[in-house]
Amino acid sequence: MARCEVVSVRLAALVLAALALPAAARAGDVTMIARDVPLGPRALAAVQPPIRFDMVGLHWQGSGSVRFRTHRLAGGWSPWTAADADALPDARSPERARTRLWHDGAPVWTGGSDRIQLRTSGTVTRLRAYYLWSRTGKQPPVRRVAVAGQPTILTRFDWQANEKIVRARPQYAPALRLAIVHHTVNANGYTRAQVPAILRGIETYHVLGNGWNDIGYNFLVDRFGQIWEGRAGGIDRNVIGAHSAGFNTGSVGVALIGTYQNVGPTPAQTAALVKLLAWRLDVAHVDPLSFLRFTSLGNSKWPRGTPVLLRAISGHRDTYFTECPGQKLYDELPAIAKQVARTGLPKIYAPAAKAVPAEAVRFTATLSAPAPWTVTVTDRTGTTVATGKGTGTKVDWTWNGATTAPAPYGWTIQAPGARSATGSLGGSPPPASTLTGLSAPAVLAPAADGSGATAQVGFALGVEAQVSVKLLDVAGRTVLSAPPALLEPGPQQVALAVGALPDGRYRVVVSAQPTGGKPVTASAGLVVDRTATGFAASSPALSPNGDGVQDSVSFSFALAASVPLRLELQQNGVVVATLLNATLGPGPQVAQWNGTDVSGTPVPDGTYQAVLTVTDAQGVVAQTLPVVVDTTPPQLTLLDATGLRFSLSEPATVTLLVNGARELKVEPAGAWHVPAPKAGVQTVSATATDAAGNVSPAVSFP
């Protein structure tokens, strides 16, 4: 008879102490602590989670299974949930080599929780719990990835992925053959603001808990119909994920955020899934209603080398022993595939070019509807050497002139309104090279302590390329360079240490050399000038309202020589106030601004720029600092006294008194909460102070 053990874990004091294996891990706004859970009855009763948590993941050894439920900070227990080991790398992947021989259960968003109960059934020899607190904060401005015909996809920047913990560069499959649909097995009642926190928690668990390179899924879709970029490497490239053991290479993993065993996804979520799959499978020219035979790379359900018949849109349970993506969602997949097939017509499916006897090449494809089609073959210079045409749903044309010009050739299959299919014969055509968005500081003023001595050079690549970053002097000589590196598409940043360079005018030059393509270069000017160093503000914000708190801001800097200078406050390039306009001698300098313009009138709330301009051997050199004028107090609202739930109109430091105990908390805009005392809440009093020193009216209970 299978044994069943239950453990009830209560929250101890919120102390991040040194723990047994493994230790605490921090990733951006995520804290994760793992603890082995003893399985003896007496030991189970003594286990306590080290922190409050809003996500939990479970690893275990043995042939048995694990279920759990959590007690929410707001009160009440969640339903019992099976810990589902629903994502692994392929057997041959380096990620798999780092994965211990454990069942790696998916991380589950529980919402703020202080207790957990665990049940083990069957043989479970070891059990480890990963507790995560993924902070819900204000979402940064949305950056939408722009690729022709795609739905809106929110990027890793939008959910603030922690790029520092990513273990390795992405790997790519030669082709994408199918989509595998998952669910993340968490409560469906999450808010829109909580979605980035859920994604950050999943990333942290997958990388620091499971030892994978990056988050396992390629895309995630929330219940509000938002589509999120998952694993890095390019949304329209065949990035190998870690979402379905044995079937990652050649598939795209899409996870719906929530649990869909007994309920289906929301209409918005289904619509977003349809749009995403219609676009992504069209990029790969895959028929969403087709079947394929896929050779497993190895897992417990399908041993390595086993051919498996799959649908082009499959559920995770088709490839692994799991309930994922939940029965309700799994039952809807055939209907979803039909919607995908009807979305974004017309389409070109399964384009191919195969050699046939007598050095000929046969081009084939299938169209989603009858249409005129054209096959074009070009030589290495881009000159058309052959064209075939026809009409109908079947493209079938043989080119017999493969020896008329030297390889390589490029080929294109086109139909009106459809995404063209392209390929090459006898080599690869040069890729389109893209180098955009070059940014570098206009002025660097290195100080004796080393501050201000690093230039952060940013840019974006459209294709994989060998990149060099150099700093040239006015004579065009290289005076500084970063080691050349092969970089993947996407945003990049390279640091140049300029502290040892003499003052002067330089040029940052970035060159990108894609494989087989033409190099592309971009440049930007940079001035190294030590005449004025240490330009800083006493505060990033001021509140000139006469209350004696941050009514003014002080600007400080040091001069190395006697030079004419100006210190101005500007907004959108317009001078608002002039604090200094004189020739000053060497040494430290300080100037104050009280938030008034040139006429002495208080300026309106907003963001301004402090501009320090000196004239020296380098010419006119300007440094800038942002400064915010803010006279409006934050709004602090007590949403739920017993659950200690609050909301803020802007980020602020909150002074909180609960049952007479004082606590300071730095909280973001929006809703947030703190754990309630075990004895309950008798009294509450709180105020909020923003960065400019404005204090909100107090809120209290009773």
Side-chain angles (χ1 to χ4, degrees), residues 21-103:
L21 175 73
R26 285 188 175 274
D29 290 330
V30 182
T31 298
M32 182 177 73
I33 297 179
R35 278 190 170 173
D36 285 342
V37 179
L39 296 175
R42 292 183 180 178
L44 288 176
V47 175
Q48 292 180 323
I51 56 172
R52 64 177 179 174
F53 59 94
D54 51 23
M55 299 188 77
V56 66
L58 299 172
H59 289 186
W60 71 96
Q61 290 181 332
S63 59
S65 60
V66 181
R67 297 175 64 83
F68 70 94
R69 66 174 184 170
T70 60
H71 185 268
R72 303 184 181 95
L73 294 175
W77 287 92
S78 70
W80 284 98
T81 301
D84 190 8
D86 69 342
L88 285 171
D90 291 337
R92 71 179 185 182
S93 168
E95 293 178 77
R96 184 60 178 256
R98 287 194 293 269
T99 303
R100 297 173 296 277
L101 297 177
W102 293 63
H103 298 282

Side-chain angles (χ1 to χ4, degrees), residues 39-218:
L39 296 175
R42 292 183 180 178
L44 288 176
V47 175
Q48 292 180 323
I51 56 172
R52 64 177 179 174
F53 59 94
D54 51 23
M55 299 188 77
V56 66
L58 299 172
H59 289 186
W60 71 96
Q61 290 181 332
S63 59
S65 60
V66 181
R67 297 175 64 83
F68 70 94
R69 66 174 184 170
T70 60
H71 185 268
R72 303 184 181 95
L73 294 175
W77 287 92
S78 70
W80 284 98
T81 301
D84 190 8
D86 69 342
L88 285 171
D90 291 337
R92 71 179 185 182
S93 168
E95 293 178 77
R96 184 60 178 256
R98 287 194 293 269
T99 303
R100 297 173 296 277
L101 297 177
W102 293 63
H103 298 282
D104 294 338
V108 176
W109 177 264
T110 63
S113 302
D114 59 2
R115 281 180 277 168
I116 185 170
Q117 287 185 335
L118 302 167
R119 288 178 175 171
T120 64
S121 298
T123 302
V124 175
T125 58
R126 290 188 68 185
L127 175 61
R128 180 175 296 165
Y130 289 77
Y131 305 99
L132 297 97
W133 182 260
S134 185
R135 183 186 183 92
T136 300
K138 186 175 181 180
Q139 190 172 323
V142 169
R143 294 181 180 178
R144 290 179 171 86
V145 180
V147 176
Q150 70 162 68
T152 298
I153 298 175
L154 302 177
T155 69
R156 291 168 64 88
F157 173 85
D158 295 312
W159 58 270
Q160 296 175 289
N162 188 350
E163 307 297 354
K164 293 181 180 178
I165 67 173
V166 175
R167 294 175 179 269
R169 294 175 53 188
Q171 296 179 314
Y172 299 94
L176 188 144
R177 304 180 61 198
L178 80 159
I180 299 177
V181 179
H182 305 256
H183 67 169
T184 59
V185 205
N186 57 256
N188 294 345
Y190 54 87
T191 67
R192 188 183 294 265
Q194 289 172 331
V195 175
I198 294 173
L199 300 180
R200 290 192 296 271
I202 294 174
E203 177 199 29
T204 301
Y205 180 81
H206 281 179
V207 176
L208 301 183
N210 290 352
W212 302 346
N213 290 345
D214 195 352
I215 189 171
Y217 307 115
N218 299 102

Side-chain angles (χ1 to χ4, degrees), residues 82-420:
D84 190 8
D86 69 342
L88 285 171
D90 291 337
R92 71 179 185 182
S93 168
E95 293 178 77
R96 184 60 178 256
R98 287 194 293 269
T99 303
R100 297 173 296 277
L101 297 177
W102 293 63
H103 298 282
D104 294 338
V108 176
W109 177 264
T110 63
S113 302
D114 59 2
R115 281 180 277 168
I116 185 170
Q117 287 185 335
L118 302 167
R119 288 178 175 171
T120 64
S121 298
T123 302
V124 175
T125 58
R126 290 188 68 185
L127 175 61
R128 180 175 296 165
Y130 289 77
Y131 305 99
L132 297 97
W133 182 260
S134 185
R135 183 186 183 92
T136 300
K138 186 175 181 180
Q139 190 172 323
V142 169
R143 294 181 180 178
R144 290 179 171 86
V145 180
V147 176
Q150 70 162 68
T152 298
I153 298 175
L154 302 177
T155 69
R156 291 168 64 88
F157 173 85
D158 295 312
W159 58 270
Q160 296 175 289
N162 188 350
E163 307 297 354
K164 293 181 180 178
I165 67 173
V166 175
R167 294 175 179 269
R169 294 175 53 188
Q171 296 179 314
Y172 299 94
L176 188 144
R177 304 180 61 198
L178 80 159
I180 299 177
V181 179
H182 305 256
H183 67 169
T184 59
V185 205
N186 57 256
N188 294 345
Y190 54 87
T191 67
R192 188 183 294 265
Q194 289 172 331
V195 175
I198 294 173
L199 300 180
R200 290 192 296 271
I202 294 174
E203 177 199 29
T204 301
Y205 180 81
H206 281 179
V207 176
L208 301 183
N210 290 352
W212 302 346
N213 290 345
D214 195 352
I215 189 171
Y217 307 115
N218 299 102
F219 298 95
L220 298 97
V221 182
D222 64 34
R223 70 186 185 96
F224 306 100
Q226 298 180 117
I227 304 170
W228 300 84
E229 177 188 15
R231 178 165 287 213
I235 60 172
D236 58 348
R237 302 187 70 190
N238 306 326
V239 180
I240 300 174
H243 56 91
S244 184
F247 296 82
N248 291 310
T249 302
S251 69
V252 57
V254 181
L256 273 61
I257 302 175
T259 301
Y260 302 105
Q261 181 67 16
N262 300 314
V263 298
T266 66
Q269 199 168 26
T270 299
L273 177 64
V274 168
K275 292 177 182 177
L276 172 63
L277 294 179
W279 167 74
R280 188 62 189 89
L281 294 181
D282 187 27
V283 170
H285 298 290
V286 172
D287 182 352
L289 298 178
S290 65
F291 289 79
L292 68 151
R293 197 166 294 279
F294 198 109
T295 301
S296 172
L297 291 176
N299 64 35
S300 58
K301 181 175 183 178
W302 302 108
R304 184 179 180 86
T306 304
V308 182
L309 184 65
L310 297 172
R311 297 169 294 177
I313 300 176
S314 290
H316 187 206
R317 63 175 58 183
D318 295 324
T319 64
Y320 197 72
F321 288 123
T322 176
E323 293 181 346
C324 182
Q327 190 63 49
K328 279 286 188 180
L329 175 54
Y330 185 79
D331 290 343
E332 292 181 13
L333 288 183
I336 288 173
K338 292 180 180 178
Q339 294 181 60
V340 171
R342 294 193 297 266
T343 302
L345 293 174
K347 300 175 184 178
I348 298 174
Y349 298 137
K354 296 182 180 180
V356 294
E359 305 217 15
V361 179
R362 183 184 182 188
F363 297 91
T364 58
T366 301
L367 304 184
S368 58
W373 51 262
T374 302
V375 181
T376 304
V377 182
T378 57
D379 63 16
R380 65 174 69 213
T381 68
T383 302
T384 299
V385 296
T387 302
K389 295 185 178 183
T391 301
T393 59
K394 297 293 184 181
V395 175
D396 195 340
W397 175 69
T398 298
W399 176 43
N400 294 304
T403 59
T404 60
Y409 303 103
W411 58 266
T412 304
I413 299 176
Q414 296 172 299
R419 185 186 303 274
S420 298

Side-chain angles (χ1 to χ4, degrees), residues 537-621:
S538 59
S539 171
L542 71 156
S543 177
N545 54 11
D547 64 357
V549 179
Q550 291 182 224
D551 285 328
S552 63
V553 60
S554 296
F555 299 102
S556 59
F557 55 94
L559 292 177
S562 179
V563 292
L565 63 82
R566 296 192 312 276
L567 178 56
E568 300 169 330
L569 272 299
Q570 300 181 7
Q571 189 176 52
N572 300 323
V574 178
V575 176
V576 173
T578 301
L579 305 187
L580 293 172
N581 187 5
T583 298
L584 300 180
Q589 311 290 340
V590 177
Q592 279 196 328
W593 185 47
N594 61 3
T596 60
D597 62 17
V598 291
S599 66
T601 303
V603 301
D605 287 4
T607 300
Y608 298 81
Q609 293 77 41
V611 183
L612 174 63
T613 305
V614 302
T615 303
D616 59 13
Q618 312 311 323
V620 178
V621 179

